[in-house]
Each structure stands twice: as C-alpha cells, then as structure tokens.
Amino acid sequence: MIHSEYFFPSSGGEALIHVSQWTPLCREIRGVVQIAHGVAEYGGRYAPFARFLCKNGFAVVANDHLGHGLSRIPDRPMVYLGDRDGWRCTVDDMETLRRTAARVFPGKPYFLFGHSMGSFLSRTHLIRYPGTLSGCVLCGTGHMSPLTIAGGKLVADREIRRLGRTAFSARADALAFGTYNRPFAPNRTRFDWVSRSEENVDAYMADPLCGGDATLGLFRDMLDGLGMITRQANMDRMDKHLPVFFIAGDQDPVGEMGRGVLRARDCFRRAGLRDVSCKLYHGLRHEILNETARQYVYQDVLDWLEAHM
C-alpha cells in the first residue's frame, strides 16, 4: 500500500483542500472508495479502514472538508465551512475529488462512504450529482423533521445576529449536540456518545484535530443541508439505480438509536431507489468504524462493495 497526500483549491477559493490517498500495491485495482468524514474530525482518521480496503484491492481517497484537518481557511476558525455557501462548496469539493480520483483510476467502480456530517454531505451529493457513483454507504446518519430543522434555524439566526458566524454559541451547541450524552449518564466525558470504548473516546479527545467547537456558521450551513436532503422532492432527483447501504449503531444518538436511520432508509425507498439496505449494530454508538467490534463492520462494508461491483 502507498499512502500519499496532495491539495487542490476549494471550490469557493477560500482554502486549499487536503487529500489523503491510499493505493493498493496489487496489479489490478478493483474499485475506488471516497470517504467523507464527520464534523470536527478529518480524513486521516480513516487510515485503518482505508488500509483494510486497500488489502482487499480498493483504492481509497479522503479529503479534509473546509475548516477541518489540514484544509484550514486563512483568518477563520476551525470547524467552519466558510463565509458563503459553505455546504454547497463542501459538496462541490467532494465532487472535485471524485473527478480527480476517477481520472487517476479510470474505469473502476466508484463508491462514496459518508460518516455523520459526511453522510449528510454525501446525501446532498447524491441529489446534486446523480449518476456519478456505483454505490454509497451512509454511516451514522439521521433524519430530522422539518419542524426540528426550522427551530434550529431560528436559534442559529438569533445567535449569529448576536455573536457572528465565526463564533461559538453554547446555546446552539447544546441544541445541536447537547442531548447526545444524556442516554449514557452518568457521563465520564462530553464525548461518551462517540464510542462505548473509553480508549476510543480518549484518543478522540487527545487528537488536536478532533473535537473542536462547531461555529455558528457551520451549524447554520448544516441546517440548510439537512433541510435539503430531507425534502422528498429533492430525494426524488437521486439515481434510482444507485445501491445504498445504511449502517449505524443502535445506540447512536445522531440516528435516534436507529429510528432516524430507518426513517432515512424509508425515504430513499419512497424516492424510488431499488437497492436500499440497512444494518444496525447492537450496542454500538456513533463511530462504528472505531468500536471494538469494528472488524465486523469492516467486513460487512467489504461484502457489500464486492456485491455491487
């Protein structure tokens, strides 16, 4: 396996987007998997999963989204998607990477794997760029109601008027993430919801590129994205032949302990997608790729990829 890194200009011109690429040493590469990471983390965290896929013949690419990892926006805080059209620009950056990697590995089946915020970005990509993928795995996703999204926008807009888009708001943060830890009380840390493994949670907190405070701008941009991907008329624009695999822990509060994941799955089926499957992992929380049972998740994803080559 060869690990390489490079940058390309962001679609909004605000930053250089960092990319990690893992290339198998095998003579014949079977396919490509592009990873879209979650909020307050970065693509390099998926190296163990990428190495597993490489051993099985898949090239893997993962960019750091705007304001994450090494894709820093000059003179702006981290966990911030930019001053304008942050959600759209972030999805466009994902499409830029897809086109780049497809040129490097021409003619290969091309899959998108999105985790958490990356799953919401991936669902936006499916709407905006139908027909460009061989399949999509959505990990740790959810499906918020229009009323919840509208309420979040009211809070975000009020806080932005008070503090500005680049600021952190404890009120908005509590609304977005504050409820996630409640099912796991008494809490050892504020990130107990991420994993049932204390070692995994501690590693997340010790990583200087993880766990940063989400800005109001990112919070507002994400709500716009959530509003888009939960509108049935938008979902109807997706490629009806695209295979989609939903995976999540049944103790993941982002997906409402599986309920939100199943709602998203059902909406995809109502949109006419013909190959939509779902697996919930008993006892696992949000980062199922980092739980102690991750080898089973890895194998399930590999089996699904191989079945949809």
Side-chain angles (χ1 to χ4, degrees):
M1 183 203 75
I2 300 173
H3 175 243
S4 57
E5 301 174 77
Y6 61 91
F7 291 84
F8 64 84
S10 65
S11 63
E14 294 184 286
L16 292 175
I17 301 301
H18 175 259
V19 178
S20 294
Q21 178 173 304
W22 296 266
T23 308
L25 292 175
C26 58
R27 185 174 303 173
E28 182 64 27
I29 293 174
R30 303 169 65 194
V32 184
V33 177
Q34 177 175 333
I35 295 174
H37 67 77
V39 69
E41 57 159 352
Y42 58 101
R45 288 191 75 224
Y46 293 78
F49 181 50
R51 288 194 291 268
F52 169 81
L53 292 175
C54 274
K55 288 179 182 178
N56 289 279
F58 289 87
V60 182
V61 292
N63 69 284
D64 298 348
H65 301 311
L66 276 168
H68 291 74
L70 299 181
S71 299
R72 296 177 178 271
I73 304 175
D75 303 319
R76 292 292 183 269
M78 294 296 286
V79 201
Y80 183 66
L81 299 182
D83 294 337
R84 291 189 309 166
D85 298 324
W87 195 262
R88 178 186 61 79
C89 290
T90 303
V91 174
D92 286 345
D93 291 338
M94 291 168 56
E95 173 61 10
T96 298
L97 176 57
R98 187 201 66 80
R99 294 178 183 179
T100 301
R103 287 193 296 269
V104 175
F105 306 104
K108 303 299 180 183
Y110 200 103
F111 298 92
L112 182 58
F113 182 103
H115 170 69
S116 195
M117 182 183 75
S119 76
F120 302 135
L121 290 164
S122 296
R123 288 162 64 177
T124 308
H125 187 280
L126 301 187
I127 292 167
R128 292 190 53 211
Y129 297 101
T132 58
L133 300 168
S134 303
C136 182
V137 182
L138 297 170
C139 176
T141 200
H143 202 76
M144 295 172 66
S145 71
L147 185 62
T148 300
I149 294 169
K153 288 181 178 179
L154 286 174
V155 172
D157 289 342
R158 187 184 306 122
E159 291 295 274
I160 287 172
R161 287 193 296 270
R162 187 171 70 93
L163 299 170
R165 283 180 55 84
T166 60
F168 168 78
S169 162
R171 185 178 305 170
D173 187 73
L175 179 66
F177 309 109
T179 62
Y180 289 169
N181 243 7
R182 289 179 190 171
F184 311 109
N187 302 130
R188 187 179 68 93
T189 75
R190 58 184 289 228
F191 295 111
D192 289 1
W193 59 276
V194 168
S195 172
R196 66 181 182 181
S197 164
E198 293 186 0
E199 181 181 354
N200 292 340
V201 172
D202 291 344
Y204 178 86
M205 292 193 301
D207 192 324
L209 297 180
C210 285
D213 290 332
T215 58
L216 282 165
L218 180 138
F219 182 41
R220 187 61 173 82
D221 288 342
M222 188 184 299
L223 287 166
D224 282 339
L226 290 171
M228 177 186 181
I229 66 174
T230 53
R231 197 170 299 122
Q232 193 67 46
N234 289 333
M235 287 191 284
D236 290 343
R237 296 165 53 190
M238 294 187 293
D239 178 8
K240 304 299 187 281
H241 299 284
L242 181 76
V244 177
F245 186 25
F246 287 88
I247 56 174
D250 71 358
Q251 296 301 302
D252 180 3
V254 175
E256 300 170 57
M257 311 309 190
R259 296 186 299 275
V261 182
L262 296 178
R263 285 202 304 275
R265 177 205 63 184
D266 293 344
C267 286
F268 272 59
R269 289 176 175 172
R270 283 197 296 273
L273 275 74
R274 299 163 187 168
D275 185 353
V276 180
S277 54
C278 179
K279 182 165 185 178
L280 299 176
Y281 294 87
H282 178 67
L284 301 192
R285 301 183 188 178
H286 187 53
E287 290 195 345
I288 59 176
L289 291 183
N290 294 326
E291 292 278 31
T292 52
R294 58 187 173 272
Q295 68 270 22
Y296 301 107
V297 183
Y298 284 16
Q299 190 62 49
D300 285 343
V301 172
L302 176 62
D303 290 344
W304 186 89
L305 293 171
E306 292 180 333
H308 294 88
M309 296 291 287

